Amino acid sequence: MSDRKEFRDLATPEAAHAAIDDLDLAPPVETVALEDARGRVLAERIDAAIDVPGFDRASMDGYAVRARDTFGADEAAPAELDLIGSVHAGATPAVTVEPGTCAEISTGAVMPDGADAVVMVERTDEVETADGETDRIAFRTAVAPGDHVMSAGTDIAAGARALGPGTRLTPREIGLLSALGVDEVPVRGRPRVGIVSTGDELVRPGETLDPSRGEIYDVNSTTIAAGVEEAGGEPVLYPHAGDDYAEMERLLRRAADECDLVLSSGSTSASAVDVIYRVIEERGDLLLHGVAVKPGKPMLVGRLDRGGSDGASESGRAGESAYVGLPGYPVSALTIFRTFVAPAIREAAGQPAPATATVEGRMAVGERYGEGRMRLMPVGLLAVADDDPPLVYPVDKGSGATTSLVEADGVVPVDPDTEYLDRGERVSVQLFSPDVRPPTLLAVGEDDPALNRLLDRLDSPRYLPVGSREGLRRLRDGVPDAAVVAGPTAREVDAVDLGGWTREWGLVVPAGNPADVTGLADLVDGDRRFVNRPTDSGLRRAFDDALDDLATDRDASRADLTDRIDGYERTVRAFESPVRKVLAADADAGLGLRETAERLGCGFVSLGEQSVVVRAAPDRVEREAVGELAGALEALGAGGDDDPLRGLAGYSRNSRNEP
């Protein structure tokens, strides 16, 4: 009886979790082909290298026109334009839409030069000549620039944060990466988990069983292997080991050499014939023996040395392998595995915890719908409080936008008879997959290079680049945790400033500045092509404010100046998009940032500095995720390797946020 290992001072479940959390199971990052990436977890952020779509395209069948030519047209007084040809999807336009002309266009076709809008075919009539030919089209409605046109980068713009580290790659994300032309991705490695079943009584399935000797089939090996794979690990099955010390040691050392974690089942009880705890004590480090939980009291946690005395193994692995000994009874083994081990494997692999396929939530905002047909409304989830159902907010950028799927967690089926979902109303969300995990933080607002770096420091955030003005509106409505706002805004919102930075903005020009752009006056007075940002962008607000100042100096209105800027109404979605237009020789100047211009090899004409502030909802400030965001903001301007502003040209910490 002297060799018997007694269970004394059983560890609490919390201590068992802590002991396993202290083990290092994480394998190195690896790069895999996109076709092999389903189910893997991104190790690094992936930014869009191209605009999607890569060109301005028609969003419906109709006629490409200059919007100005349709102004004033209606049913009573249609506008007639000369038909000069047609443009089909997949073909390069062979026509140019001049004043007074139009071109027939198909859905998805490239917008021809000169055209800035599409009129749907249903609002037009063909005008026949005396000999029955059609050479003119009558337009019974007016359109504005951009109507029925999907601009380049509308889905996702070059330089935008496509997917962040920690993103699990499902078919939705793989579709987005395919649209961006990505063929391989850096992913978190899958922990290799060696599985060794012990006990003289065990027989592998398929072999002959002798019940008279008390033999039983080995259930644990295959059951635990399935659990390892489900948790995101790579199971490695080893031969069955008996209760022999030398054989047990040989198998455990081999598994430790080849794997990040070794799991054994059986031989962990207080029986005198059980020897595995002695192997761990003599060849590694036994951290825990026994846990106060039922079923599954006999559990071991420890580390196994690899290779010889120098710690080098034949596989090239060095150091130690993590070890967990599971009980022998299948129910106990699986219970302990799911409770204690599977979460650690998921953590090492970057996999989210499993969730139910359907969750109940409450609408964060009201949503009107009255089309008389079933709607599967894409929605995102945000768990604000542990005791409350998650907030449910609509996510819909249009049926052609791949990013709508990435930003949504599931769908809410809306009955055809439902005309309105009220704020706070309970809804049932069908998750896209059972293991969907809502983001820890939801933020909205301005797009910015420094912001992308900040988000990388957070655990599973979600960011919607809706612009500063729209971001504040959503913050006012109570949906996001925080909004990122660039420059002054007219909207007053009750919020807490967490910190921010200053960025230098101006005009991005080609290297060498061949058009000799020196400031706003050159855009107004000279024949130079310009590309702008949308009105929801903070950069656009800064640009318009500068135009107001110039207009005041000239005793003119801003409209007088904008009418003279070639391209003022031509907008692109993200901070890098104007630079791409300049690089492609589509513009002589674009509204942008010094950082982006220098990084992509363009010239830059500075027009000033702009403050960017992260503002949090007052009732969310105490949330852990918001605290993490505030902590990341504290590193701004510190100059160390963790400084989000490090290496960004034209960036500095906001002086008003200095301690």
Side-chain angles (χ1 to χ4, degrees), residues 285-325:
D285 185 14
L286 184 60
L287 303 176
L288 179 149
H289 186 194
V291 61
V293 61
K294 181 181 180 180
K297 179 176 72 174
M299 181 177 76
L300 303 177
V301 178
R303 300 184 182 92
L304 281 169
D305 294 331
R306 290 187 173 122
S309 59
D310 61 354
S313 67
E314 293 182 3
S315 66
R317 293 172 178 262
E320 299 172 320
S321 172
Y323 167 77
V324 176

Side-chain angles (χ1 to χ4, degrees), residues 24-90:
D24 183 11
L25 315 184
V29 172
E30 57 183 283
T31 300
V32 300
L34 188 61
E35 57 264 29
D36 299 324
R38 186 180 66 84
R40 303 300 294 271
V41 176
L42 275 183
E44 302 170 9
R45 184 184 82 238
I46 293 182
D47 293 337
I50 60 172
D51 287 332
V52 178
F55 53 90
D56 295 345
R57 68 186 184 190
S59 60
M60 61 177 54
D61 290 343
Y63 294 90
V65 300
R66 291 165 53 90
R68 184 180 298 273
D69 289 341
T70 69
F71 290 174
D74 58 21
E75 294 284 348
E80 292 189 8
L81 302 176
D82 292 335
L83 179 63
I84 59 172
S86 59
V87 184
H88 301 288

